[in-house]
Amino acid sequence: METRSREELYINVQPIQAAGRLTADAMKAMISYGDGYSVCDFCLKPFRLDKIKKPAIEEFHFELAKFVGMDEARTVPGARRGFQAVVSSLVNKGDSVVLQAVGHYTEFLAIEQAGGIAHEVPINTSGITTGDAVAQTIEKARKKDGKLPKLVIFDHFDYTNANEHDIKGAVKAAKEFGIPVLYNGAYTVGIKPVDGKALGVDFVVGSGHKSMASPAPSGVLATTKEGAKKVFRTTKIEGDVSGRKFGIKEVEMLGCTLMGANIVAMMASLPTLRERVKHWDAEVKNSNYFVNEFLRVDGNKVVSECPRKHCLTKVDCTESFDKIAQKHKDHGYFFTHELDSRGITGIFPGATRSFKMSTYGLTESQVKYLAEAFVEIARKHSLEVH
Amino acid sequence: METRSREELYINVQPIQAAGRLTADAMKAMISYGDGYSVCDFCLKPFRLDKIKKPAIEEFHFELAKFVGMDEARTVPGARRGFQAVVSSLVNKGDSVVLQAVGHYTEFLAIEQAGGIAHEVPINTSGITTGDAVAQTIEKARKKDGKLPKLVIFDHFDYTNANEHDIKGAVKAAKEFGIPVLYNGAYTVGIKPVDGKALGVDFVVGSGHKSMASPAPSGVLATTKEGAKKVFRTTKIEGDVSGRKFGIKEVEMLGCTLMGANIVAMMASLPTLRERVKHWDAEVKNSNYFVNEFLRVDGNKVVSECPRKHCLTKVDCTESFDKIAQKHKDHGYFFTHELDSRGITGIFPGATRSFKMSTYGLTESQVKYLAEAFVEIARKHSLEVH
């Protein structure tokens, strides 16, 4: 297997890798706890992974709940497993869920897995999901199905454009109908402050490998005391011959939660996350700096909302770099090579029309260098720069 | 966080850690691919993780299917997620599943999660699940529920005593009723040869962190072409506003399967697994050597079947070391300390009555040393040794 070195050798603007790079502490923890059941050395009564005190997994779970402003938290193998647990707990076959027309695909899969129906909330002309649109979709769903949806899933920032959607309006709308809200924080938890209780949501899901400087698969599902009764319900099944019961194992968690290298790496990264979310404004400032420089190239467009409120941005170069690509012997790869030769990677290979990139975690000087590279490549290929 | 060093400093006989220790190659792979979405550098069409060619994840999936003698394989975050995918695909609310009275608890949780009913197959007086008992339980379930069970889950070796159960008999019984069989290989896949097709099973589940020298959570779910149509079915859901479809993403896998450090470590360990399963007989021989020496101590008993067919063994020292513990100021911890001072760890701290241990992966001389330690501790505390 080839050694992976892009994080060491390049400025990596890959849209979903930026905030999942490990901290040095997480890497150390992984190395120490790489073996299979490594965290189970001191698994004592009541024999559930999230109750282990050495390493301090139990305490970490309290800290994790606090970190997202909720009462209880569990780790999960990826945000998608958090969606699955919530949907599976609240949605029976034929029940419906309201989610965004820009919602993440794994939310749809979780609904399909539970036999549920998906009702999408359209975005407005600015690409934003508003609270009013959520209310209208709930009404529409009620009329169509003859009953209210069981859940609203809401991506604070969507995965395509990373536009900020009206989470407060969505919560207000859902609460008027008494419908619980799952806050999908895959693009927020771990990079910007998230306070679930302040937002009034019932569930917060975050992605360890996307935004919490953790290895894949990892994630968090946090909830209120009320929500915990449903989603973290303990097992009731019994063996009809053996008479066995299974104690405090939780059904949706399938017993023990995230183990080994992944949980210890999450633990090791948490102090860094706590600190770095305080600097979200600086990250967004970098993002806007880049976008403004990028727009100096004649024909370059930004598909995401502007000014940027996130570091992930979808851009469109159909009228600039793609025009060069049309005539170039390497087609779109000319652009990839130009970036590569400048030590920049992470943009979809060969893409010169529409692509996503992220400036998250870059230093100010790296962002400047990145922006200059775009301008320089434009000039080299005779595109006008304003 | 404390550095974990028990694998470096001790002979570790912890029952579920022995076969999950990483290979050196797995550790190297983990270090190289620790970052969140590390394996997605070259994720091209059709945009599904198990189709990635660099690193060779796609090929690994073919190899993995072959390794367990099935047609198709997917990686899962732990064996339990494999049970969940199969049960969720085959079992509707009110349907039943036949499994062993010694079956693993996560199988019960998967059934509970799907709203299913569990019918346990009793063991015989030798602690073994026979094919006849499976047939009788299926008949009993049919009478009670008015319909046949939808699935038989069968642990080849159970997690308590690691006795070998009659998998061939179980398959024969299930097939007579036309019921598919899930082979739980958490205690076999990766340490002894497993050929699912030869056994005639429909699904094979293995645990990466338990028996495949891989970090947690990891595992494999493999199946036949027929089984794949059900359990690896692709999504059909559509966005009612966006018109989005989600391509070849698989519902039960929730899209992309095991990522990052965990998948590359599994990949790096596979060549070792292929080699080590050939030496299962030598491992079992070591296990029996230890057990025979252990039984030289007056009062020591083996709860598992004898001769041993597995390296994990449940023993009982109520009439030997526990008698010492009753009078010792440190109670059962005297035994822990005695072992610890000899560089042996992994037996439940303070346990002197019934406990589990595994000799898997120890060299011949380590097994000898381990056996001698038990005899030596017995003699030191004036227990008779035959």
Side-chain angles (χ1 to χ4, degrees):
Chain A
M1 203 181 303
E2 264 177 69
T3 302
R4 183 175 185 262
S5 52
R6 68 158 59 186
E7 302 294 358
E8 288 80 5
L9 302 180
Y10 288 90
I11 289 179
N12 182 13
V13 296
Q14 210 275 3
I16 56 174
Q17 289 178 340
R21 282 188 281 263
L22 299 192
T23 58
D25 283 339
M27 181 55 88
K28 283 184 212 162
M30 267 194 105
I31 293 171
S32 187
Y33 286 83
D35 294 317
Y37 279 99
S38 59
V39 296
C40 307
D41 292 344
F42 303 95
C43 180
L44 308 174
K45 271 188 187 169
F47 304 118
R48 207 175 75 195
L49 198 131
D50 60 303
K51 303 281 188 188
I52 290 174
K53 289 187 168 60
K54 196 180 165 188
I57 297 176
E58 184 176 44
E59 195 195 328
F60 170 69
H61 280 79
F62 300 142
E63 295 295 322
L64 198 53
K66 214 160 70 181
F67 180 63
V68 294
M70 300 299 274
D71 295 325
E72 287 202 41
R74 300 288 181 275
T75 53
V76 285
R80 62 194 75 201
R81 295 295 183 173
F83 305 148
Q84 181 183 32
V86 175
V87 173
S88 162
S89 298
L90 303 184
V91 178
N92 285 314
K93 202 170 268 191
D95 287 340
S96 84
V97 176
V98 162
L99 77 177
Q100 292 145 288
V102 293
H104 195 257
Y105 83 87
T106 53
E107 297 163 0
F108 285 83
L109 293 183
I111 295 167
E112 185 171 5
Q113 208 255 344
I117 300 161
H119 293 293
E120 288 184 324
V121 187
I123 48 171
N124 67 15
T125 48
S126 310
I128 305 299
T129 321
T130 65
D132 285 348
V134 171
Q136 283 157 20
T137 305
I138 294 171
E139 277 291 10
K140 211 181 79 183
R142 169 151 74 177
K143 264 190 199 153
K144 198 169 174 198
D145 306 334
K147 58 184 176 182
L148 278 172
K150 291 291 163 69
L151 179 68
V152 170
I153 304 180
F154 203 84
D155 300 5
H156 190 175
F157 288 83
D158 67 273
Y159 74 119
T160 309
N161 293 334
N163 289 352
E164 183 171 21
H165 302 277
D166 183 11
I167 177 66
K168 284 183 187 171
V171 172
K172 190 164 169 274
K175 293 292 153 180
E176 273 168 18
F177 292 92
I179 303 172
V181 176
L182 187 164
Y183 173 95
N184 176 2
Y187 289 89
T188 54
V189 172
I191 54 174
K192 77 181 283 298
V194 171
D195 186 336
K197 283 273 187 81
L199 291 169
V201 301
D202 301 271
F203 307 98
V204 171
V205 169
S207 169
H209 47 273
K210 199 169 262 157
S211 302
M212 298 173 78
S214 297
S218 60
V220 56
L221 165 58
T223 183
T224 57
K225 283 201 176 70
E226 272 315 295
K229 284 178 200 160
K230 289 174 192 161
V231 175
F232 302 150
R233 69 191 179 282
T234 52
T235 172
K236 297 274 175 285
I237 202 167
E238 284 184 40
D240 63 341
V241 169
S242 67
R244 282 183 297 167
K245 296 178 183 184
F246 305 99
I248 60 158
K249 303 284 190 187
E250 293 169 348
V251 179
E252 295 295 341
M253 300 295 109
L254 294 168
C256 288
T257 45
L258 199 68
M259 298 171 187
N262 299 18
I263 181 88
V264 294
M266 283 187 92
M267 289 165 65
S269 278
L270 184 60
T272 301
L273 303 187
R274 277 204 203 98
E275 187 54 33
R276 80 184 192 182
V277 297
K278 294 179 197 160
H279 307 293
W280 178 240
D281 287 350
E283 292 285 352
V284 173
K285 198 178 151 197
N286 278 346
S287 175
N288 278 301
Y289 174 85
F290 171 77
V291 159
N292 289 333
E293 291 296 302
F294 169 87
L295 286 172
R296 287 174 56 206
V297 176
D298 194 50
N300 270 358
K301 287 179 196 129
V302 174
V303 182
S304 305
E305 65 175 340
C306 278
R308 300 298 304 126
K309 296 175 185 170
H310 202 280
C311 299
L312 190 162
T313 298
K314 188 170 184 178
V315 299
D316 189 302
C317 301
T318 311
E319 298 299 319
S320 53
F321 297 117
D322 193 56
K323 283 192 166 170
I324 313 297
Q326 297 295 336
K327 295 172 191 168
H328 200 285
K329 67 172 172 38
D330 293 337
H331 308 289
Y333 290 94
F334 96 89
F335 189 58
T336 313
H337 298 151
E338 290 285 12
L339 291 168
D340 191 82
S341 70
R342 287 166 178 81
I344 296 164
T345 194
I347 288 171
F348 198 83
T352 42
R353 293 184 191 180
S354 191
F355 54 85
K356 297 194 275 186
M357 55 187 291
S358 175
T359 57
Y360 189 77
L362 301 185
T363 61
E364 247 179 75
S365 65
Q366 285 175 321
V367 174
K368 268 195 180 160
Y369 176 83
L370 178 72
E372 274 162 23
F374 271 73
V375 166
E376 209 178 275
I377 298 167
R379 282 207 175 106
K380 182 175 165 189
H381 292 274
S382 308
L383 293 172
E384 209 172 316
V385 176
H386 305 292
Chain B
M1 203 182 304
E2 267 177 66
T3 302
R4 183 175 184 263
S5 52
R6 68 158 58 187
E7 302 293 0
E8 289 80 6
L9 303 180
Y10 288 90
I11 289 179
N12 181 12
V13 295
Q14 210 276 2
I16 56 175
Q17 289 178 339
R21 282 188 281 262
L22 299 191
T23 59
D25 283 340
M27 180 55 87
K28 283 184 211 160
M30 265 194 107
I31 293 171
S32 187
Y33 285 83
D35 294 317
Y37 279 100
S38 59
V39 296
C40 307
D41 291 345
F42 303 96
C43 180
L44 308 174
K45 271 189 186 170
F47 303 119
R48 207 175 74 193
L49 198 133
D50 59 301
K51 304 281 188 187
I52 290 174
K53 289 186 168 61
K54 195 180 166 190
I57 296 176
E58 184 176 43
E59 196 195 328
F60 169 69
H61 279 80
F62 300 143
E63 294 296 322
L64 199 52
K66 214 160 68 182
F67 180 63
V68 294
M70 300 298 275
D71 295 325
E72 286 202 41
R74 300 288 181 275
T75 53
V76 284
R80 63 194 75 202
R81 294 295 183 174
F83 306 147
Q84 181 183 32
V86 175
V87 173
S88 162
S89 298
L90 304 184
V91 178
N92 285 315
K93 202 171 270 190
D95 287 340
S96 84
V97 176
V98 162
L99 77 176
Q100 292 146 288
V102 293
H104 196 257
Y105 83 88
T106 54
E107 298 163 0
F108 286 83
L109 292 183
I111 295 167
E112 186 171 6
Q113 208 256 344
I117 299 161
H119 293 294
E120 288 184 324
V121 187
I123 47 171
N124 66 15
T125 49
S126 310
I128 305 299
T129 321
T130 66
D132 285 347
V134 171
Q136 283 156 21
T137 305
I138 293 172
E139 278 291 10
K140 212 182 77 181
R142 171 152 71 176
K143 264 190 198 154
K144 199 170 173 197
D145 305 335
K147 58 184 176 183
L148 278 172
K150 291 291 165 69
L151 179 68
V152 170
I153 305 180
F154 202 84
D155 300 6
H156 190 177
F157 289 82
D158 67 274
Y159 73 119
T160 309
N161 293 334
N163 289 351
E164 184 171 20
H165 301 277
D166 182 11
I167 176 67
K168 285 186 185 166
V171 172
K172 189 163 171 275
K175 293 291 151 180
E176 272 167 19
F177 293 93
I179 303 171
V181 176
L182 187 166
Y183 173 94
N184 177 2
Y187 289 89
T188 54
V189 172
I191 54 174
K192 77 182 281 299
V194 170
D195 186 336
K197 283 274 185 79
L199 291 170
V201 301
D202 301 271
F203 306 99
V204 171
V205 169
S207 169
H209 47 274
K210 199 169 261 156
S211 303
M212 299 172 77
S214 297
S218 60
V220 55
L221 165 58
T223 183
T224 58
K225 283 202 175 69
E226 272 314 297
K229 284 179 200 157
K230 288 173 192 161
V231 175
F232 302 150
R233 69 192 178 281
T234 52
T235 172
K236 297 275 174 286
I237 201 168
E238 285 185 38
D240 62 342
V241 169
S242 66
R244 283 184 295 168
K245 295 178 184 184
F246 305 99
I248 60 158
K249 303 283 190 187
E250 293 167 348
V251 179
E252 295 295 340
M253 299 296 109
L254 293 168
C256 289
T257 45
L258 199 68
M259 300 172 186
N262 299 18
I263 181 89
V264 294
M266 284 188 90
M267 290 165 65
S269 278
L270 184 60
T272 301
L273 303 188
R274 276 204 203 99
E275 186 55 33
R276 80 184 192 182
V277 298
K278 294 180 198 159
H279 306 291
W280 178 241
D281 287 350
E283 292 285 351
V284 173
K285 198 176 153 201
N286 278 347
S287 176
N288 278 302
Y289 174 85
F290 171 76
V291 159
N292 289 333
E293 291 296 301
F294 169 87
L295 286 172
R296 289 174 55 207
V297 176
D298 194 49
N300 270 357
K301 287 179 194 128
V302 174
V303 182
S304 303
E305 65 175 340
C306 277
R308 300 297 305 126
K309 298 176 184 168
H310 202 280
C311 300
L312 190 161
T313 299
K314 189 171 185 178
V315 299
D316 190 303
C317 303
T318 310
E319 298 299 320
S320 54
F321 296 117
D322 193 56
K323 283 192 168 170
I324 313 298
Q326 298 295 336
K327 294 174 192 167
H328 200 286
K329 67 172 172 42
D330 294 338
H331 308 287
Y333 290 95
F334 97 89
F335 189 58
T336 313
H337 297 150
E338 290 285 14
L339 291 168
D340 192 82
S341 70
R342 288 167 177 80
I344 296 164
T345 194
I347 288 172
F348 198 82
T352 43
R353 294 183 189 181
S354 189
F355 53 85
K356 297 194 276 187
M357 55 187 292
S358 174
T359 56
Y360 189 77
L362 301 185
T363 62
E364 248 179 75
S365 64
Q366 284 176 322
V367 174
K368 268 195 180 158
Y369 176 83
L370 179 71
E372 274 163 23
F374 271 72
V375 166
E376 207 178 276
I377 297 167
R379 283 206 175 107
K380 182 174 162 188
H381 293 275
S382 309
L383 293 171
E384 210 173 312
V385 176
H386 307 291

